[in-house]
Amino acid sequence: MTHESTAVGLASAYSNATTASGDWWRDAVIYQVYVRSFADSDGDGIGDLRGVRSRLPHLARLGVDAVWLTPFYVSPQADGGYDVADYRAVDPLFGDLADADELVRAAHELGLRVIVDVVPNHTSEQHPWFRAALAGEPGARERYLFRRGRGADGSLPPNDWESIFGGPAWTRVADGDWYLHLFAPEQPDLDWTHPEVTAEFDSVLRFWLDLGVDGFRIDVAHGMVKADGLPDIGRGAQATLIGTEPLPFFDQDGVHEIHRAWRRLLDSYESRRIGVAEAWAPSSERLALYVRPDELHQAFNFRFLTCPWDPEAMRTVIDESLSATTAVGAPTTWVLSNHDVVRHVTRYGGGRQGLARARAAALLMLALPGSAYLYQGEELGLPEVTDLPPESRQDPAFRRGRPQPPAPTPGIIAPREGEPPALPQAAAGAAPEPQLAPQAQGHTGPEAQAGPGPEDRGCCGPQADSGPAPEPQLAPQAQGHTGPEAGVGPRPQAAAGAGPEADGGAGQTADPRTAPEAEGQDGLRDGCRVPIPWDGPEPPYGFGPAGSWLPQPPAWAGLSVAAQTGDPHSTLELYRAALELRRAMPGLGAPGAGPSPDPCGMRWLPAPDGVLLFTRPGFACTLNTRPDPVELPAPGRPVLSSAPVDTDGRTVRLPPDSCTWWAF
């Protein structure tokens, strides 16, 4: 008997224990909206807040609990808005403050919470504070990290720190002083020992909390405090050490006092406003310090994002992550993709294989205790776009690896020839979160979620095969309706599962990590930011009235929301079914939900090589990472699968690269 259904009919019978409680964030599914690429309301080709508001019903129907918005503040856009010039105003590119207010109200009416980015490690070079510092206003430089240079004439940087974007982390100004920028020169680091900095960000947080937002994603939450004396590191390629070794500019103990103060501020508001850390730490135990009871509510779990397609590695990351957060009474977060990493369909190999693994990984992630983050478009099974023309690229790291005409801010000395080349690292605001895509299918649905097959891949690079793929499935008794409707750190240098089959676009086979367009940086942040398709046979696929700021591939017509809606084999319907089941089954979601001797409500069971099998109260999950089917005793009744599952009730034949949910 083959199970292959995607509708869920259990939500009326059960509700998740924490949904009705104040601790909504402990098992929330949060959807990341990259505002520039979500929906354009005015036809300028750039997504905006009104566009986001118009598409909120899609998120409500998808079944997420909250929306995280990337920065929409006034900014020169040197780094996609993570260079903020005014923290209390909306950039005209995205609308105005009234649009932000209306978006928050509309989201709340649909039962969605709203989380916004805050960028406290650095400002824009166009921020009034930094302009005053360059102008020589008394005391203005004390808000930033200005230092005299080394050497007899001060012509050498104050220390050997490197920018995450490559080159020195210091830029010299006209009077000879140097200022620190861990990211682009347009993003000067603040000095968090200065009381005006602390007071300013308290005021900024209150401004947005008073407007009604439900929390903040804190960019570079591990970076605001630097080691005393700014000591040398003594080695190069420093960005590759982030998250693996102690560094004097990241994860200093002093950041925790800042987060404790912010927790007190958040707790002073009603309705459980939350703080989410984009933090990199050398170990799970260090990361757990950010979510102690008196600090932030969540921290991104990048170890899960960078984990390869390997069952032993996955189990190790899951166990260590749960152990570390359980020790401090916090939930674990899980994420597969975001605006700074290669989409997981492509990371897992691209084509049919990448799509199948991505769908399976999505079900694995949503079955684990804690909170999950989805990146816009992963519910459509979008692959990375690897063949963007260089003239359309806007990632500052991409440009920093090529000769560019200098356009420095007045008072700043342009970089000299011969500076170290750019390192292939993530940018400010980037939280390396490689993540699993929503497609683990094996279906023939019209959305052709995988896009063109190996012999007919389109310009968007590694796509899933348009032929039969694993089908999302639900038990027949669960049918009836489709249910109610998303850091900075090292990016994986080798994408998990990526191989030569990953298409480089234009019908050619290429490794996106070494393609010519990746020269000078990892080259792929623009590729995950291409505006998503909503409907229609050709670009911009309903993104807006005109074009889009990055070109969309022709093959994406079959991946649009409209094309996938109602198709029981589509990745979109797989996500909708999974999110409804996650709410419906009492054993899913929050740590400790339901009776279990394990504090996480989860227990591993023996399984064949290449297979993971764990249970939670009334629930089991199987993940087959092997390229061939595996037979084992059926752990229960199948309720959802990323690919067709054959079972006679006693044994089950698990398809390759698939995940199945079971009830018992």
Side-chain angles (χ1 to χ4, degrees):
M1 176 180 178
T2 300
H3 291 267
E4 47 182 329
S5 54
T6 54
V8 185
L10 303 177
S12 60
Y14 302 102
S15 64
N16 195 291
T18 59
T19 300
S21 75
D23 291 345
W24 63 270
W25 46 274
R26 298 189 72 89
D27 63 352
V29 176
I30 300 172
Y31 186 100
Q32 181 191 357
V33 166
Y34 189 72
V35 177
R36 292 176 66 94
S37 300
F38 195 64
D40 169 26
S41 70
D42 57 13
D44 64 357
I46 296 174
D48 48 49
L49 296 182
R50 288 188 180 183
V52 174
R53 191 180 78 227
S54 72
R55 296 296 187 177
L56 289 176
H58 166 70
L59 303 184
R61 182 180 179 188
L62 183 62
V64 301
D65 301 292
V67 180
W68 155 30
L69 303 172
T70 55
F72 49 78
Y73 313 114
V74 171
S75 166
Q77 302 296 320
D79 183 28
Y82 284 94
D83 51 317
V84 181
D86 186 343
Y87 289 86
R88 297 178 183 82
V90 174
D91 195 290
L93 273 175
F94 306 123
D96 56 29
L97 200 57
D99 293 322
D101 180 69
E102 291 171 7
L103 191 162
V104 171
R105 292 174 184 272
H108 288 169
E109 289 174 0
L110 290 170
L112 299 169
R113 292 176 169 86
V114 178
I115 296 169
V116 298
D117 254 302
V118 64
V119 187
N121 179 71
H122 48 265
T123 70
S124 165
E125 63 175 355
Q126 298 298 322
H127 191 282
W129 279 5
F130 194 70
R131 296 175 72 89
L134 293 184
E137 182 177 306
R141 291 192 180 182
E142 295 175 7
R143 301 173 181 134
Y144 295 89
L145 290 162
F146 278 85
R147 295 292 187 271
R148 300 301 299 177
R150 295 191 291 193
D153 58 355
S155 63
L156 299 176
N159 65 22
D160 67 354
W161 294 2
E162 297 171 349
S163 165
I164 306 303
F165 285 163
W170 296 90
T171 290
R172 200 177 191 191
V173 300
D175 64 7
D177 277 358
W178 298 75
Y179 70 88
L180 179 69
H181 53 86
L182 292 179
F183 302 98
E186 296 88 350
Q187 296 166 294
D189 279 41
L190 289 161
D191 186 347
W192 270 84
T193 67
H194 196 291
E196 288 186 28
V197 175
T198 302
E200 169 67 1
F201 276 90
D202 282 354
S203 174
V204 167
L205 296 187
R206 290 188 182 279
F207 178 87
W208 292 104
L209 290 168
D210 290 342
L211 186 127
V213 304
D214 300 281
F216 301 94
R217 178 264 193 185
I218 302 165
D219 184 64
V220 197
H222 55 303
M224 291 102 82
V225 174
K226 280 69 175 178
D228 291 343
L230 310 183
D232 283 342
I233 294 173
R235 55 186 293 188
Q238 295 163 9
T240 64
L241 308 178
I242 299 169
T244 61
E245 297 185 24
L247 292 168
F249 51 71
F250 279 162
D251 194 38
Q252 296 295 302
D253 288 340
V255 299
H256 297 289
E257 186 51 46
I258 298 171
H259 298 319
R260 289 188 189 97
W262 284 3
R263 177 60 179 263
R264 292 191 294 271
L265 189 158
L266 291 166
D267 286 349
S268 70
Y269 282 77
E270 297 179 352
S271 304
R272 301 296 282 182
R273 317 294 178 93
I274 70 168
V276 182
E278 184 223 14
W280 280 88
S283 67
S284 296
E285 290 73 23
R286 287 288 300 181
L287 184 63
L289 299 180
Y290 290 82
V291 290
R292 287 176 288 189
D294 61 344
E295 295 197 37
L296 301 175
H297 299 77
Q298 293 183 345
F300 287 130
N301 184 1
F302 296 137
R303 291 189 63 207
F304 183 72
L305 178 146
T306 59
C307 187
W309 186 253
D310 175 86
E312 293 184 6
M314 289 178 175
R315 178 167 175 170
T316 296
V317 167
I318 292 169
D319 283 345
E320 292 180 355
S321 300
L322 290 171
S323 175
T325 53
T326 299
V328 295
T332 304
T333 63
W334 313 101
V335 62
L336 292 170
S337 291
N338 66 18
H339 65 295
D340 288 314
V341 300
V342 177
R343 287 185 177 273
H344 52 285
V345 168
T346 300
R347 289 201 333 268
Y348 284 129
R352 295 186 63 185
Q353 180 187 68
L355 179 60
R357 289 176 173 179
R359 286 165 54 95
L363 289 192
L364 171 66
M365 175 178 70
L366 293 171
L368 294 171
S371 178
Y373 281 76
L374 311 180
Y375 178 50
Q376 65 176 45
E378 75 167 82
E379 77 276 18
L380 305 177
L382 297 184
E384 188 81 1
V385 179
T386 60
D387 63 346
L388 291 169
E391 61 271 16
S392 73
R393 303 291 289 273
Q394 298 193 24
D395 188 339
F398 179 81
R399 297 301 170 194
R400 206 168 184 206
R402 290 164 168 73
Q404 299 294 321
T409 296
I412 297 180
I413 298 175
R416 298 170 303 197
E417 292 185 8
E419 282 189 340
L423 294 171
Q425 301 301 331
E433 312 168 357
Q435 309 159 43
L436 309 170
Q439 303 188 251
Q441 63 195 39
H443 62 280
T444 57
E447 82 284 10
Q449 308 226 9
E455 296 81 25
D456 183 29
R457 291 179 181 163
C459 69
C460 57
Q463 308 248 356
D465 195 307
S466 59
E471 303 175 11
Q473 304 156 31
L474 266 149
Q477 55 267 53
Q479 296 180 6
H481 64 289
T482 58
E485 289 253 16
V488 175
R491 292 168 51 135
Q493 299 303 302
E501 72 273 21
D503 194 325
Q508 299 180 8
T509 298
D511 185 337
R513 294 162 292 159
T514 58
E517 58 267 33
E519 184 179 321
Q521 46 115 32
D522 58 25
L524 292 167
R525 291 206 312 165
D526 288 319
C528 66
R529 299 176 178 183
V530 174
I532 65 175
W534 292 96
D535 55 57
E538 59 187 25
Y541 305 119
F543 170 67
S548 59
W549 68 284
L550 286 173
Q552 300 159 298
W556 277 16
L559 297 175
S560 72
V561 173
Q564 297 195 43
T565 294
D567 176 5
H569 307 312
S570 73
T571 293
L572 176 58
E573 295 298 352
L574 175 68
Y575 266 72
R576 287 172 173 168
L579 291 177
E580 187 172 2
L581 265 179
R582 183 180 163 96
R583 290 177 182 269
M585 300 184 72
L588 287 179
S596 172
D598 189 298
C600 292
M602 176 175 163
R603 180 183 299 167
W604 295 104
L605 296 181
D609 289 344
V611 175
L612 293 180
L613 169 58
F614 65 84
T615 62
R616 300 183 65 192
F619 171 87
C621 179
T622 53
L623 176 74
N624 180 16
T625 66
R626 291 164 52 164
D628 54 294
V630 176
E631 189 169 299
L632 70 159
R637 170 176 55 86
V639 293
L640 182 65
S641 181
S642 65
V645 172
D646 291 321
T647 179
D648 59 7
R650 296 186 301 273
T651 62
V652 60
R653 184 177 173 85
L654 298 177
D657 294 326
S658 69
C659 186
T660 304
W661 288 3
W662 308 81
F664 59 84

